[in-house]
Amino acid sequence: QPELAGDFGTLMVWADKVRRLKVRANAETPLDARTARDFGAEGIGLCRTEHMFFDANRITAVRQMILAEDEAGRRAALDRLLPEQRKDFTELFDIMAGLPVTIRLLDPPLHEFLPHEEEEFAEVAAAAGVAVDVLKRRAAELHEVNPMLGHRGCRLGVTYPEIYEMQARAIFEAAVDVAEKSGAAPLPEVMVPLVATRRELELMKAVIDRTAEAVFAEKGRRVDYLVGTMIELPRAALMAGEIAEVGAFFSFGTNDLTQTALGVSRDDASRFLTSYVEQGIYPKDPFVSLDVEGVGELISIAKERGRKTRADLKLGICGEHGGDPASIAFCQATGLDYVSCSPYRVPIARLAAAQAALKRS
Ligand code: PEP
Ligand code: MG
């Protein structure tokens, strides 16, 4: 792995000697994954698979999947998406060469996948063999007033399990292929988003495990993997003891956890948060620097309750806060295992993690 050069590289070596927190990166493209490794990331902490679906070659199939009226229609679209997803994961596993890769199953704000232009509807109609009017009716049915609190995350997987099944198949097929041709077996960590209850994770884990077994049987080879969840809803943090009975790791999605704990829309917050910070209501923008008293307390509760159930529960953070030095100090003090941040923030996170460790000693 190339190391950062010169004095900065030396500083990084020193930082790595004292830090205890691992540093991973949020990445879904080969370019981001390579950048992350060049900057010293020790794995991928969040691969947002929905970003892969916006690719110009796939968006029509994705829209076809979302707008299909039945499982057969969705499966027809998913069959077209499977080879693309397999290629996505093969590339990431190759680049990460045996380091852990946390792949988050689809978490779309559904509205971003819906077609709007006539031309887009026409493309889906041609691909699906369905009339434009039917698709428009279906799109109207799927419209949500508040998509961020709507049919997203594992709610999509619970209602349409074949979507998560396709993604799990792509992950395990890619993992087995890479394990076969390279010495370093990939370490997939399959992550279920927006979980609020134990039962949701249980249902989704069953789909993932069943698919893994099917792929391993077909290929005559197994790979190790973990199934875990994002903790990004206050209910999930409070129910962490139960949820840890099912999931082997938690990754705190502090963007959504901040949004849902504070009741502040992450997309509209800037309108009033500046004034809130000026008036001392929050010391800093809570979407940039963790609200330690509120959101941080939820993280501490989840850690306590989760680890009580499962002593080796792996804990990380993958919201924007994972690259913020003050939030990283909180993660160190709370005893998380790793932070995950944008590739370009990896060196900052390595330094911040070292500083936080030194302060404690
Ligand atoms: C989060 O909610 O903190 C998170 C990492 O997921 P996303 O930003 O994709 O919702
Ligand atoms: Mg989220």
Side-chain angles (χ1 to χ4, degrees):
Q1 181 199 335
E3 203 21 284
L4 294 162
D7 291 347
F8 195 64
T10 307
L11 189 62
M12 284 294 138
V13 172
W14 291 343
D16 289 349
K17 281 193 185 139
V18 292
R19 77 182 156 92
R20 192 194 52 73
L21 278 168
K22 294 262 182 200
V23 177
R24 300 194 193 180
N26 298 351
E28 45 273 330
T29 65
L31 179 64
D32 278 351
R34 270 187 218 106
T35 307
R37 284 219 62 194
D38 290 350
F39 284 151
E42 296 160 303
I44 291 181
L46 174 64
C47 163
R48 291 178 164 102
T49 57
E50 61 278 4
H51 288 186
M52 296 162 161
F53 282 27
F54 287 114
D55 187 282
N57 296 324
R58 324 186 190 177
I59 188 68
T60 300
V62 171
R63 289 181 172 136
Q64 181 186 343
M65 166 188 90
I66 294 291
L67 292 175
E69 292 200 278
D70 55 20
E71 186 183 328
R74 277 188 296 280
R75 284 198 182 272
L78 288 164
D79 285 348
R80 292 175 51 203
L81 291 166
L82 174 64
E84 305 271 345
Q85 275 273 265
R86 194 191 303 119
K87 185 164 161 278
D88 294 329
F89 301 138
T90 303
E91 285 173 338
L92 289 184
F93 291 147
D94 269 336
I95 294 165
M96 298 315 288
L99 295 173
V101 177
T102 309
I103 298 170
R104 181 176 73 186
L105 301 179
L106 197 63
D107 177 16
L110 214 52
H111 62 295
E112 289 182 22
F113 282 154
L114 293 178
H116 297 287
E117 311 294 330
E118 279 303 320
E119 195 186 315
E120 294 169 349
F121 275 106
E123 279 168 7
V124 182
V130 174
V132 166
D133 284 353
V134 173
L135 294 176
K136 284 190 174 167
R137 179 173 48 73
R138 176 81 175 137
E141 279 167 15
L142 291 175
H143 171 78
E144 293 176 313
V145 174
N146 193 346
M148 287 306 268
L149 295 178
H151 198 177
R152 57 177 284 226
C154 68
R155 298 162 192 171
L156 196 80
V158 168
T159 45
Y160 308 138
E162 55 279 3
I163 298 178
Y164 280 10
E165 187 189 309
M166 179 283 282
Q167 292 195 289
R169 174 164 280 279
I171 291 168
F172 296 118
E173 287 184 354
V176 170
D177 289 350
V178 171
E180 221 148 52
K181 71 176 191 343
S182 74
L187 212 59
E189 298 181 345
V190 186
M191 183 154 77
V192 180
L194 217 75
V195 159
T197 76
R198 177 203 151 110
R199 182 72 181 140
E200 287 171 316
L201 186 59
E202 210 168 50
L203 287 169
M204 297 301 90
K205 184 171 184 301
V207 171
I208 296 160
D209 288 342
R210 193 180 341 113
T211 308
E213 288 309 318
V215 172
F216 297 160
E218 286 162 28
K219 300 234 173 216
R221 184 177 186 130
R222 310 181 66 85
V223 290
D224 290 334
Y225 68 97
L226 296 178
V227 178
T229 182
M230 305 239 352
I231 300 286
E232 46 189 347
L233 297 174
R235 190 186 199 284
L238 297 175
M239 298 309 291
E242 273 190 30
I243 292 173
E245 287 169 15
V246 186
F249 67 88
F250 289 171
S251 181
F252 293 97
T254 45
N255 304 328
D256 274 309
L257 194 56
T258 300
Q259 163 166 266
T260 50
L262 272 51
V264 175
S265 154
R266 56 194 270 200
D267 304 314
D268 305 308
S270 57
R271 292 203 195 157
F272 60 88
L273 272 183
T274 313
S275 154
Y276 262 49
V277 172
E278 276 166 13
Q279 297 182 63
I281 297 171
Y282 292 118
K284 287 186 200 157
D285 180 337
F287 286 99
V288 176
S289 196
L290 200 71
D291 159 41
V292 170
E293 292 170 358
V295 177
E297 185 65 10
L298 284 167
I299 293 175
S300 301
I301 289 171
K303 180 218 150 183
E304 290 302 321
R305 296 183 184 176
R307 284 253 170 93
K308 204 166 167 192
T309 300
R310 193 188 283 256
D312 66 348
L313 182 72
K314 232 194 227 189
L315 297 170
I317 175 178
C318 65
E320 289 307 309
H321 306 85
D324 167 64
S327 312
I328 292 170
F330 170 86
C331 295
Q332 153 83 35
T334 308
L336 302 195
D337 299 304
Y338 68 89
V339 299
S340 187
C341 57
S342 105
Y344 291 100
R345 293 196 77 85
V346 166
I348 294 168
R350 286 164 73 187
L351 277 179
Q355 244 161 3
L358 285 174
K359 258 188 214 147
R360 302 259 309 164
S361 55

